[in-house]
Amino acid sequence: MAKRARVRAPELVGKGGWINTGGKNLTLADFRGRILILDFWTFCCINCLHVLDELRELEEKHRDTVVIVGVHSPKFVHEAEHQAVLDAVERYGVEHPVLDDPELATWKQYAVRAWPTLVVIDPEGYIVAQHAGEGHAHAIERLVEELEAEHAAKGTLRRGDGPYVPPEPEPTTLRFPGKALLLPSGNFLVSDTTRHQLVELAPDGESVVRRIGAGTRGFADGDIATAAFNEPQGLALLEDGSVVVADTVNHALRRLDPASGEVTTLAGTGRQWMQGDATSGPGREVSLSSPWDVAWWNGRVWIAMAGVHQLWAYDPDGGTVAVAAGTTNEGLVDGPGAEAWFAQPSGLAATPERLWLADSETSALRWVDLDGAVHTAVGTGLFDFGHRDGDAGQALLQHPLGVTALPDGSVAVSDTYNHALRRYDPHTGQVTTLATDLREPSDAVLDGADIVVVESARHRLTRLRLPEEAVRVEAVAHRTQRAATEVAPGTLRLDVIFQAPAGQKLDTRYGPSTRLLVSATPPELLLNGEGAGTDLSRVLELDPAVPEGVLHVSAMAASCDDDPANEYPACHVHQQDWGVPVRLTEGGADRLPLVLAGMDADA
């Protein structure tokens, strides 16, 4: 076994304290003798949610030797609220201890630069690996097996139950509902996301008519009692009266026949789409990635594909799916659909001439025209957010998840992390606030003169009369809490660190196995070094006249099992997008290392 570099792990500290431990405060010493995996996450981040799901199997298989600890490291102001973290831990079924670190203290101690990041600590308290992004579960599984054998032989491995203590379940009708739909009958259909069901409610929005689905995580077609979902979200009514469901964690589109209660699968394989997979074809043969919402527009079902920052479309006549807009790069770039960048689109609403979308990670309201071009109405990028009304060019939202077309041509935005319902009027270009004191609103539907809001974190539907006058609120603006990295003006060496997992090698059968894409906000920050290439190291030239900005770095590496005797080696794609705030300072760093997988030897 090759000798590993080992670095002593810093202590785990977080002002918010510990969750899922029965009230006990933990330290690194409590994990001595166990293999500890730190998962640096924030609950707005779709890639972080993917990693939670990737780790479930490893967590169960190695329960007596491995402890996973989530270190919640917020991007948005709302995510620094302790109750919001408690809600997220329950909402996403996190079954391990979580350290609430609202001031990013542990994030800084471990020099983390991206959500998600996984850090592996051996039973003696040393860091042995770091991985940014998703798709690393196979590599960590291999490392865990090596560490188990190594430390069992040394006598430093301690087996037994971990410190996880499950919370008491709450007896509410809905539990973190995601989206809602008004059925022709006048009833509401709601995705009861955390309970993995659809719930039909009477017109009062409270009385349960029926529950659809088994109520446990699963992927199965069938009748009202046997069909299974996995954190369903978006709902759309088709012309034939059936309902399309965005079955988010199953990476699938499902069809519900409201008359019979039968559920079938329209698209998706149950496997998450990864780079290199098909981007069009028969629905049941193409993988999807965290579809979050759906809308019927111009003869197709449009899909907010949050997991890959794209819009896709399903054609019910041919039963096919295909990418409709977006490049998979995360950011805010308008233009023709094939060139546009999105950041976790999570809400859709259709009008005859526009498809509106809530682009959550850029805190933006955007729209697609009939020619397929993408436009931004409100929002400026990944790091600016807040609650500010007025002219759309300077108005601010905070991680909106829903959008609803209103009768006068304006749209209501479920401004989730501001706990508000906002309105954008395309005729005047003005943003106003319709209602406040809504706990994490994630969707809204019109019902006559009323608007019915999904208050996700209050576990209910809330009926509001559409106000004639907007609510006035004091304007606030925020930038992400992440500290800017001080770099020297002029030449900056960018190194993306990637070490193929043990037993694997870079896959060069079809050409270069790595890819690096670099851009900047503002674009003027980069004098040289922008664009795509195959080398994971690059020399950038930063303009001294631009004092600060954000470097956008996207990296990918493909590795395969290194066994000549294996005719069909398993291959894996490792990928991550970084948005690195930088400040140009004389004497700042002249090298920027970003760890995709492995350890930075020059650290």
Side-chain angles (χ1 to χ4, degrees), residues 15-75:
K15 190 174 181 180
W18 288 87
I19 301 168
N20 280 353
T21 63
K24 182 179 179 181
N25 291 322
L26 303 175
T27 68
L28 268 179
D30 294 307
F31 303 104
R32 191 59 57 86
R34 310 297 290 273
I35 300 165
L36 177 61
I37 300 173
L38 302 182
D39 176 15
F40 288 86
W41 69 300
T42 188
F43 64 79
C44 70
C45 162
I46 191 66
N47 310 92
C48 300
L49 304 186
H50 290 167
V51 167
L52 285 176
D53 291 314
E54 288 177 3
L55 293 176
R56 292 186 199 281
E57 184 178 347
L58 182 144
E59 193 169 19
E60 180 60 34
K61 183 177 178 181
H62 298 272
R63 189 167 292 278
D64 66 334
T65 59
V66 171
V67 176
I68 296 174
V69 167
V71 182
H72 189 268
S73 314
K75 170 185 174 181

Short mmCIF file of all heavy atoms in Angstrom, two decimals, residues 15-75:
data_model
loop_
_atom_site.label_atom_id
_atom_site.label_comp_id
_atom_site.label_asym_id
_atom_site.label_seq_id
_atom_site.Cartn_x
_atom_site.Cartn_y
_atom_site.Cartn_z
N LYS A 15 -20.63 27.72 15.71
CA LYS A 15 -21.41 28.49 16.68
C LYS A 15 -22.83 27.94 16.81
O LYS A 15 -23.46 28.07 17.87
CB LYS A 15 -21.45 29.96 16.23
CG LYS A 15 -22.04 30.89 17.26
CD LYS A 15 -21.90 32.34 16.80
CE LYS A 15 -22.47 33.29 17.84
NZ LYS A 15 -22.34 34.71 17.40
N GLY A 16 -23.34 27.30 15.75
CA GLY A 16 -24.71 26.78 15.80
C GLY A 16 -24.85 25.50 16.60
O GLY A 16 -25.97 25.10 16.93
N GLY A 17 -23.74 24.83 16.88
CA GLY A 17 -23.80 23.61 17.68
C GLY A 17 -24.12 22.38 16.84
O GLY A 17 -24.09 22.40 15.61
N TRP A 18 -24.43 21.30 17.56
CA TRP A 18 -24.59 19.98 16.93
C TRP A 18 -26.07 19.61 16.79
O TRP A 18 -26.88 19.92 17.65
CB TRP A 18 -23.86 18.92 17.75
CG TRP A 18 -22.37 19.03 17.63
CD1 TRP A 18 -21.54 19.81 18.39
CD2 TRP A 18 -21.55 18.35 16.68
NE1 TRP A 18 -20.23 19.67 17.96
CE2 TRP A 18 -20.21 18.76 16.92
CE3 TRP A 18 -21.78 17.43 15.67
CZ2 TRP A 18 -19.13 18.29 16.18
CZ3 TRP A 18 -20.72 16.96 14.92
CH2 TRP A 18 -19.41 17.39 15.17
N ILE A 19 -26.36 18.90 15.70
CA ILE A 19 -27.70 18.40 15.38
C ILE A 19 -27.62 16.90 15.20
O ILE A 19 -26.60 16.37 14.75
CB ILE A 19 -28.21 19.08 14.08
CG1 ILE A 19 -28.26 20.60 14.24
CG2 ILE A 19 -29.58 18.54 13.67
CD1 ILE A 19 -28.48 21.35 12.94
N ASN A 20 -28.68 16.20 15.57
CA ASN A 20 -28.75 14.73 15.43
C ASN A 20 -27.80 14.01 16.39
O ASN A 20 -27.32 12.91 16.08
CB ASN A 20 -28.44 14.29 13.99
CG ASN A 20 -29.64 14.44 13.06
OD1 ASN A 20 -30.74 14.76 13.52
ND2 ASN A 20 -29.46 14.20 11.78
N THR A 21 -27.55 14.60 17.55
CA THR A 21 -26.69 13.93 18.55
C THR A 21 -27.39 13.80 19.90
O THR A 21 -26.75 13.47 20.89
CB THR A 21 -25.38 14.72 18.75
OG1 THR A 21 -25.69 16.02 19.28
CG2 THR A 21 -24.61 14.87 17.45
N GLY A 22 -28.70 14.09 19.95
CA GLY A 22 -29.40 14.02 21.22
C GLY A 22 -28.97 15.10 22.20
O GLY A 22 -29.07 14.91 23.42
N GLY A 23 -28.46 16.21 21.67
CA GLY A 23 -28.05 17.32 22.52
C GLY A 23 -26.59 17.28 22.95
O GLY A 23 -26.13 18.19 23.64
N LYS A 24 -25.85 16.26 22.55
CA LYS A 24 -24.45 16.14 22.96
C LYS A 24 -23.55 16.93 22.03
O LYS A 24 -23.70 16.90 20.81
CB LYS A 24 -24.03 14.67 22.95
CG LYS A 24 -22.59 14.45 23.41
CD LYS A 24 -22.23 12.97 23.40
CE LYS A 24 -20.78 12.76 23.85
NZ LYS A 24 -20.39 11.33 23.82
N ASN A 25 -22.60 17.68 22.61
CA ASN A 25 -21.58 18.37 21.83
C ASN A 25 -20.39 17.43 21.62
O ASN A 25 -19.91 16.81 22.56
CB ASN A 25 -21.12 19.64 22.53
CG ASN A 25 -22.20 20.70 22.55
OD1 ASN A 25 -22.93 20.85 21.58
ND2 ASN A 25 -22.31 21.42 23.65
N LEU A 26 -19.93 17.35 20.38
CA LEU A 26 -18.87 16.41 20.02
C LEU A 26 -17.58 17.15 19.69
O LEU A 26 -17.60 18.31 19.28
CB LEU A 26 -19.30 15.56 18.82
CG LEU A 26 -20.60 14.76 18.99
CD1 LEU A 26 -20.96 14.07 17.69
CD2 LEU A 26 -20.47 13.74 20.11
N THR A 27 -16.45 16.46 19.86
CA THR A 27 -15.14 16.95 19.45
C THR A 27 -14.47 15.88 18.62
O THR A 27 -14.94 14.73 18.55
CB THR A 27 -14.25 17.28 20.67
OG1 THR A 27 -13.93 16.06 21.35
CG2 THR A 27 -14.97 18.23 21.64
N LEU A 28 -13.34 16.22 18.01
CA LEU A 28 -12.61 15.23 17.22
C LEU A 28 -12.24 14.00 18.04
O LEU A 28 -12.21 12.87 17.53
CB LEU A 28 -11.34 15.85 16.63
CG LEU A 28 -11.43 16.47 15.25
CD1 LEU A 28 -10.09 17.06 14.86
CD2 LEU A 28 -11.89 15.45 14.21
N ALA A 29 -11.97 14.21 19.33
CA ALA A 29 -11.57 13.08 20.18
C ALA A 29 -12.66 12.03 20.26
O ALA A 29 -12.38 10.84 20.45
CB ALA A 29 -11.21 13.60 21.57
N ASP A 30 -13.93 12.45 20.12
CA ASP A 30 -15.04 11.50 20.18
C ASP A 30 -15.04 10.54 18.99
O ASP A 30 -15.71 9.50 19.04
CB ASP A 30 -16.38 12.24 20.24
CG ASP A 30 -16.55 13.03 21.53
OD1 ASP A 30 -16.39 12.43 22.60
OD2 ASP A 30 -16.83 14.25 21.45
N PHE A 31 -14.33 10.89 17.92
CA PHE A 31 -14.31 10.06 16.72
C PHE A 31 -13.02 9.25 16.60
O PHE A 31 -12.84 8.55 15.61
CB PHE A 31 -14.49 10.93 15.48
CG PHE A 31 -15.74 11.76 15.50
CD1 PHE A 31 -15.69 13.12 15.77
CD2 PHE A 31 -16.97 11.18 15.27
CE1 PHE A 31 -16.84 13.89 15.80
CE2 PHE A 31 -18.14 11.93 15.30
CZ PHE A 31 -18.07 13.29 15.57
N ARG A 32 -12.13 9.36 17.58
CA ARG A 32 -10.88 8.62 17.52
C ARG A 32 -11.17 7.12 17.45
O ARG A 32 -12.00 6.59 18.18
CB ARG A 32 -10.02 8.92 18.76
CG ARG A 32 -8.58 8.42 18.69
CD ARG A 32 -7.82 9.02 17.51
NE ARG A 32 -7.80 10.48 17.51
CZ ARG A 32 -6.91 11.21 18.16
NH1 ARG A 32 -5.97 10.64 18.89
NH2 ARG A 32 -6.95 12.53 18.06
N GLY A 33 -10.50 6.45 16.55
CA GLY A 33 -10.72 5.03 16.33
C GLY A 33 -11.72 4.73 15.23
O GLY A 33 -11.86 3.59 14.80
N ARG A 34 -12.41 5.77 14.75
CA ARG A 34 -13.37 5.61 13.64
C ARG A 34 -12.84 6.33 12.41
O ARG A 34 -12.03 7.27 12.51
CB ARG A 34 -14.73 6.20 14.02
CG ARG A 34 -15.27 5.76 15.36
CD ARG A 34 -15.53 4.24 15.39
NE ARG A 34 -16.64 3.88 14.55
CZ ARG A 34 -17.92 3.89 14.97
NH1 ARG A 34 -18.20 4.22 16.22
NH2 ARG A 34 -18.89 3.53 14.16
N ILE A 35 -13.29 5.91 11.25
CA ILE A 35 -13.00 6.64 10.01
C ILE A 35 -14.04 7.75 9.91
O ILE A 35 -15.25 7.47 9.89
CB ILE A 35 -13.06 5.70 8.80
CG1 ILE A 35 -12.03 4.58 8.95
CG2 ILE A 35 -12.83 6.48 7.50
CD1 ILE A 35 -12.25 3.42 8.00
N LEU A 36 -13.59 8.98 9.86
CA LEU A 36 -14.48 10.14 9.87
C LEU A 36 -14.50 10.78 8.49
O LEU A 36 -13.45 11.07 7.91
CB LEU A 36 -14.00 11.14 10.93
CG LEU A 36 -14.78 12.46 11.05
CD1 LEU A 36 -16.22 12.20 11.44
CD2 LEU A 36 -14.10 13.37 12.07
N ILE A 37 -15.70 10.98 7.97
CA ILE A 37 -15.87 11.68 6.69
C ILE A 37 -16.63 12.97 6.96
O ILE A 37 -17.77 12.93 7.42
CB ILE A 37 -16.63 10.81 5.66
CG1 ILE A 37 -15.87 9.51 5.40
CG2 ILE A 37 -16.84 11.59 4.37
CD1 ILE A 37 -16.63 8.53 4.52
N LEU A 38 -15.97 14.09 6.72
CA LEU A 38 -16.62 15.39 6.86
C LEU A 38 -17.23 15.78 5.51
O LEU A 38 -16.54 15.78 4.49
CB LEU A 38 -15.62 16.46 7.29
CG LEU A 38 -14.87 16.23 8.60
CD1 LEU A 38 -13.95 17.41 8.90
CD2 LEU A 38 -15.84 15.99 9.75
N ASP A 39 -18.51 16.10 5.54
CA ASP A 39 -19.22 16.53 4.33
C ASP A 39 -19.57 18.00 4.49
O ASP A 39 -20.50 18.36 5.20
CB ASP A 39 -20.49 15.68 4.17
CG ASP A 39 -21.35 16.13 2.99
OD1 ASP A 39 -20.84 16.89 2.14
OD2 ASP A 39 -22.53 15.72 2.92
N PHE A 40 -18.78 18.87 3.84
CA PHE A 40 -19.04 20.31 3.88
C PHE A 40 -20.14 20.61 2.87
O PHE A 40 -19.94 20.44 1.66
CB PHE A 40 -17.77 21.09 3.56
CG PHE A 40 -16.74 21.05 4.66
CD1 PHE A 40 -15.83 20.00 4.73
CD2 PHE A 40 -16.70 22.04 5.62
CE1 PHE A 40 -14.88 19.95 5.76
CE2 PHE A 40 -15.75 22.00 6.65
CZ PHE A 40 -14.85 20.95 6.72
N TRP A 41 -21.29 21.05 3.37
CA TRP A 41 -22.45 21.22 2.50
C TRP A 41 -23.22 22.47 2.91
O TRP A 41 -22.98 23.06 3.96
CB TRP A 41 -23.36 20.00 2.58
CG TRP A 41 -24.09 19.83 3.91
CD1 TRP A 41 -23.52 19.67 5.14
CD2 TRP A 41 -25.50 19.82 4.12
NE1 TRP A 41 -24.49 19.55 6.11
CE2 TRP A 41 -25.71 19.64 5.52
CE3 TRP A 41 -26.61 19.92 3.29
CZ2 TRP A 41 -27.00 19.57 6.08
CZ3 TRP A 41 -27.88 19.85 3.84
CH2 TRP A 41 -28.07 19.68 5.21
N THR A 42 -24.12 22.88 2.03
CA THR A 42 -25.10 23.90 2.36
C THR A 42 -26.39 23.50 1.66
O THR A 42 -26.36 22.94 0.56
CB THR A 42 -24.61 25.30 1.95
OG1 THR A 42 -25.51 26.28 2.46
CG2 THR A 42 -24.46 25.45 0.46
N PHE A 43 -27.52 23.76 2.30
CA PHE A 43 -28.73 23.10 1.83
C PHE A 43 -29.33 23.70 0.57
O PHE A 43 -30.26 23.14 -0.01
CB PHE A 43 -29.77 22.96 2.95
CG PHE A 43 -30.32 24.25 3.53
CD1 PHE A 43 -31.31 24.96 2.88
CD2 PHE A 43 -29.90 24.69 4.78
CE1 PHE A 43 -31.85 26.11 3.43
CE2 PHE A 43 -30.44 25.84 5.35
CZ PHE A 43 -31.42 26.55 4.67
N CYS A 44 -28.81 24.85 0.08
CA CYS A 44 -29.29 25.38 -1.20
C CYS A 44 -28.69 24.63 -2.38
O CYS A 44 -29.18 24.72 -3.50
CB CYS A 44 -28.93 26.85 -1.32
SG CYS A 44 -27.15 27.17 -1.54
N CYS A 45 -27.61 23.90 -2.16
CA CYS A 45 -26.73 23.41 -3.23
C CYS A 45 -27.16 22.03 -3.72
O CYS A 45 -27.12 21.05 -2.98
CB CYS A 45 -25.30 23.37 -2.67
SG CYS A 45 -24.14 22.36 -3.56
N ILE A 46 -27.56 21.95 -4.99
CA ILE A 46 -28.05 20.68 -5.54
C ILE A 46 -26.95 19.62 -5.55
O ILE A 46 -27.20 18.44 -5.31
CB ILE A 46 -28.64 20.87 -6.96
CG1 ILE A 46 -29.38 19.61 -7.42
CG2 ILE A 46 -27.56 21.28 -7.95
CD1 ILE A 46 -30.61 19.29 -6.62
N ASN A 47 -25.71 20.02 -5.80
CA ASN A 47 -24.61 19.05 -5.78
C ASN A 47 -24.42 18.48 -4.39
O ASN A 47 -24.08 17.31 -4.23
CB ASN A 47 -23.31 19.70 -6.26
CG ASN A 47 -23.50 20.44 -7.57
OD1 ASN A 47 -23.78 21.63 -7.56
ND2 ASN A 47 -23.39 19.76 -8.69
N CYS A 48 -24.64 19.31 -3.36
CA CYS A 48 -24.57 18.82 -1.98
C CYS A 48 -25.65 17.79 -1.71
O CYS A 48 -25.42 16.79 -1.01
CB CYS A 48 -24.71 19.98 -1.00
SG CYS A 48 -23.44 21.26 -1.16
N LEU A 49 -26.84 18.02 -2.26
CA LEU A 49 -27.93 17.05 -2.08
C LEU A 49 -27.61 15.74 -2.81
O LEU A 49 -27.94 14.66 -2.32
CB LEU A 49 -29.25 17.64 -2.56
CG LEU A 49 -29.67 18.97 -1.92
CD1 LEU A 49 -31.07 19.37 -2.39
CD2 LEU A 49 -29.61 18.90 -0.40
N HIS A 50 -26.97 15.85 -3.97
CA HIS A 50 -26.55 14.63 -4.67
C HIS A 50 -25.58 13.83 -3.80
O HIS A 50 -25.67 12.59 -3.72
CB HIS A 50 -25.85 14.99 -5.99
CG HIS A 50 -26.76 15.53 -7.04
ND1 HIS A 50 -26.31 16.15 -8.18
CD2 HIS A 50 -28.12 15.55 -7.12
CE1 HIS A 50 -27.33 16.52 -8.91
NE2 HIS A 50 -28.44 16.18 -8.30
N VAL A 51 -24.63 14.52 -3.15
CA VAL A 51 -23.64 13.82 -2.33
C VAL A 51 -24.31 13.16 -1.13
O VAL A 51 -23.93 12.05 -0.74
CB VAL A 51 -22.53 14.80 -1.90
CG1 VAL A 51 -21.66 14.20 -0.80
CG2 VAL A 51 -21.66 15.13 -3.11
N LEU A 52 -25.30 13.81 -0.53
CA LEU A 52 -26.04 13.16 0.56
C LEU A 52 -26.58 11.81 0.11
O LEU A 52 -26.50 10.81 0.84
CB LEU A 52 -27.20 14.05 1.02
CG LEU A 52 -26.86 15.27 1.87
CD1 LEU A 52 -28.13 16.08 2.13
CD2 LEU A 52 -26.22 14.87 3.19
N ASP A 53 -27.12 11.78 -1.10
CA ASP A 53 -27.67 10.52 -1.61
C ASP A 53 -26.57 9.53 -1.96
O ASP A 53 -26.72 8.32 -1.74
CB ASP A 53 -28.56 10.79 -2.82
CG ASP A 53 -29.84 11.52 -2.44
OD1 ASP A 53 -30.47 11.13 -1.46
OD2 ASP A 53 -30.18 12.51 -3.12
N GLU A 54 -25.45 10.02 -2.51
CA GLU A 54 -24.33 9.13 -2.84
C GLU A 54 -23.79 8.42 -1.60
O GLU A 54 -23.34 7.27 -1.67
CB GLU A 54 -23.19 9.92 -3.49
CG GLU A 54 -23.46 10.39 -4.90
CD GLU A 54 -22.31 11.24 -5.44
OE1 GLU A 54 -21.30 11.40 -4.72
OE2 GLU A 54 -22.43 11.74 -6.57
N LEU A 55 -23.79 9.12 -0.46
CA LEU A 55 -23.17 8.59 0.75
C LEU A 55 -24.07 7.61 1.52
O LEU A 55 -23.58 6.94 2.43
CB LEU A 55 -22.76 9.74 1.68
CG LEU A 55 -21.65 10.67 1.17
CD1 LEU A 55 -21.43 11.80 2.16
CD2 LEU A 55 -20.35 9.88 0.96
N ARG A 56 -25.36 7.56 1.17
CA ARG A 56 -26.27 6.73 1.98
C ARG A 56 -25.84 5.26 2.02
O ARG A 56 -25.86 4.62 3.06
CB ARG A 56 -27.70 6.84 1.45
CG ARG A 56 -28.33 8.21 1.65
CD ARG A 56 -29.80 8.23 1.24
NE ARG A 56 -30.27 9.57 1.01
CZ ARG A 56 -30.62 10.44 1.95
NH1 ARG A 56 -30.57 10.06 3.22
NH2 ARG A 56 -31.04 11.65 1.64
N GLU A 57 -25.46 4.71 0.86
CA GLU A 57 -25.09 3.30 0.81
C GLU A 57 -23.81 3.04 1.60
O GLU A 57 -23.72 2.07 2.37
CB GLU A 57 -24.92 2.85 -0.65
CG GLU A 57 -24.61 1.37 -0.78
CD GLU A 57 -24.51 0.93 -2.23
OE1 GLU A 57 -24.91 1.70 -3.13
OE2 GLU A 57 -24.00 -0.20 -2.48
N LEU A 58 -22.82 3.92 1.44
CA LEU A 58 -21.56 3.76 2.17
C LEU A 58 -21.82 3.88 3.68
O LEU A 58 -21.26 3.13 4.48
CB LEU A 58 -20.57 4.83 1.71
CG LEU A 58 -19.17 4.79 2.33
CD1 LEU A 58 -18.13 5.20 1.29
CD2 LEU A 58 -19.06 5.72 3.53
N GLU A 59 -22.69 4.81 4.04
CA GLU A 59 -23.00 5.04 5.45
C GLU A 59 -23.63 3.79 6.08
O GLU A 59 -23.32 3.42 7.21
CB GLU A 59 -23.97 6.22 5.53
CG GLU A 59 -24.20 6.80 6.89
CD GLU A 59 -24.95 8.12 6.81
OE1 GLU A 59 -25.60 8.40 5.78
OE2 GLU A 59 -24.88 8.88 7.79
N GLU A 60 -24.48 3.13 5.33
CA GLU A 60 -25.13 1.92 5.85
C GLU A 60 -24.17 0.73 5.86
O GLU A 60 -24.11 -0.03 6.82
CB GLU A 60 -26.36 1.61 4.99
CG GLU A 60 -27.12 0.37 5.43
CD GLU A 60 -27.65 0.48 6.85
OE1 GLU A 60 -28.01 1.59 7.28
OE2 GLU A 60 -27.69 -0.57 7.54
N LYS A 61 -23.39 0.56 4.80
CA LYS A 61 -22.52 -0.59 4.65
C LYS A 61 -21.40 -0.60 5.70
O LYS A 61 -20.99 -1.67 6.17
CB LYS A 61 -21.93 -0.60 3.24
CG LYS A 61 -21.04 -1.80 2.94
CD LYS A 61 -20.57 -1.77 1.50
CE LYS A 61 -19.65 -2.94 1.17
NZ LYS A 61 -19.18 -2.88 -0.24
N HIS A 62 -20.89 0.59 6.07
CA HIS A 62 -19.75 0.67 6.99
C HIS A 62 -20.16 1.36 8.29
O HIS A 62 -19.38 2.10 8.89
CB HIS A 62 -18.60 1.43 6.33
CG HIS A 62 -18.07 0.76 5.09
ND1 HIS A 62 -17.08 -0.19 5.13
CD2 HIS A 62 -18.42 0.90 3.79
CE1 HIS A 62 -16.81 -0.60 3.90
NE2 HIS A 62 -17.62 0.05 3.06
N ARG A 63 -21.38 1.11 8.73
CA ARG A 63 -21.94 1.83 9.89
C ARG A 63 -21.13 1.61 11.16
O ARG A 63 -21.10 2.48 12.04
CB ARG A 63 -23.40 1.39 10.10
CG ARG A 63 -24.14 2.22 11.13
CD ARG A 63 -25.63 1.98 11.08
NE ARG A 63 -26.22 2.49 9.85
CZ ARG A 63 -26.57 3.76 9.66
NH1 ARG A 63 -26.34 4.65 10.60
NH2 ARG A 63 -27.13 4.15 8.54
N ASP A 64 -20.44 0.48 11.29
CA ASP A 64 -19.72 0.23 12.54
C ASP A 64 -18.28 0.75 12.52
O ASP A 64 -17.58 0.69 13.53
CB ASP A 64 -19.72 -1.27 12.87
CG ASP A 64 -18.93 -2.09 11.87
OD1 ASP A 64 -18.81 -1.64 10.71
OD2 ASP A 64 -18.45 -3.17 12.23
N THR A 65 -17.82 1.27 11.37
CA THR A 65 -16.44 1.79 11.31
C THR A 65 -16.37 3.24 10.85
O THR A 65 -15.40 3.93 11.12
CB THR A 65 -15.57 0.95 10.34
OG1 THR A 65 -16.17 0.98 9.04
CG2 THR A 65 -15.44 -0.49 10.82
N VAL A 66 -17.39 3.69 10.13
CA VAL A 66 -17.38 5.02 9.52
C VAL A 66 -18.42 5.91 10.19
O VAL A 66 -19.55 5.49 10.45
CB VAL A 66 -17.68 4.93 8.00
CG1 VAL A 66 -17.89 6.31 7.40
CG2 VAL A 66 -16.55 4.21 7.28
N VAL A 67 -18.03 7.14 10.47
CA VAL A 67 -18.97 8.17 10.91
C VAL A 67 -18.91 9.31 9.91
O VAL A 67 -17.83 9.84 9.63
CB VAL A 67 -18.65 8.69 12.32
CG1 VAL A 67 -19.61 9.82 12.70
CG2 VAL A 67 -18.74 7.57 13.35
N ILE A 68 -20.05 9.67 9.37
CA ILE A 68 -20.15 10.85 8.51
C ILE A 68 -20.66 12.01 9.36
O ILE A 68 -21.62 11.85 10.11
CB ILE A 68 -21.07 10.60 7.31
CG1 ILE A 68 -20.48 9.49 6.42
CG2 ILE A 68 -21.29 11.88 6.51
CD1 ILE A 68 -21.39 9.07 5.29
N VAL A 69 -20.00 13.13 9.24
CA VAL A 69 -20.43 14.36 9.93
C VAL A 69 -20.65 15.42 8.86
O VAL A 69 -19.72 15.75 8.11
CB VAL A 69 -19.40 14.82 10.96
CG1 VAL A 69 -19.71 16.25 11.43
CG2 VAL A 69 -19.38 13.88 12.16
N GLY A 70 -21.85 15.94 8.78
CA GLY A 70 -22.11 17.06 7.90
C GLY A 70 -21.67 18.35 8.58
O GLY A 70 -22.03 18.60 9.73
N VAL A 71 -20.88 19.15 7.89
CA VAL A 71 -20.50 20.47 8.39
C VAL A 71 -21.27 21.48 7.55
O VAL A 71 -20.93 21.72 6.39
CB VAL A 71 -18.98 20.71 8.30
CG1 VAL A 71 -18.65 22.08 8.88
CG2 VAL A 71 -18.22 19.62 9.03
N HIS A 72 -22.33 22.04 8.13
CA HIS A 72 -23.18 22.94 7.34
C HIS A 72 -22.54 24.32 7.28
O HIS A 72 -22.35 24.99 8.30
CB HIS A 72 -24.59 23.04 7.91
CG HIS A 72 -25.49 23.78 6.98
ND1 HIS A 72 -25.68 25.14 7.06
CD2 HIS A 72 -26.19 23.36 5.89
CE1 HIS A 72 -26.48 25.52 6.07
NE2 HIS A 72 -26.80 24.46 5.35
N SER A 73 -22.20 24.74 6.06
CA SER A 73 -21.42 25.96 5.82
C SER A 73 -22.23 26.85 4.88
O SER A 73 -22.24 26.61 3.67
CB SER A 73 -20.08 25.60 5.18
OG SER A 73 -19.47 24.52 5.86
N PRO A 74 -22.93 27.88 5.38
CA PRO A 74 -23.94 28.58 4.58
C PRO A 74 -23.37 29.47 3.49
O PRO A 74 -22.32 30.08 3.64
CB PRO A 74 -24.68 29.42 5.63
CG PRO A 74 -23.67 29.67 6.70
CD PRO A 74 -22.84 28.40 6.76
N LYS A 75 -24.12 29.54 2.38
CA LYS A 75 -23.86 30.53 1.34
C LYS A 75 -24.77 31.74 1.55
O LYS A 75 -24.31 32.88 1.56
CB LYS A 75 -24.10 29.94 -0.06
CG LYS A 75 -24.07 31.00 -1.16
CD LYS A 75 -24.43 30.43 -2.52
CE LYS A 75 -24.53 31.56 -3.55
NZ LYS A 75 -24.90 31.08 -4.90
#
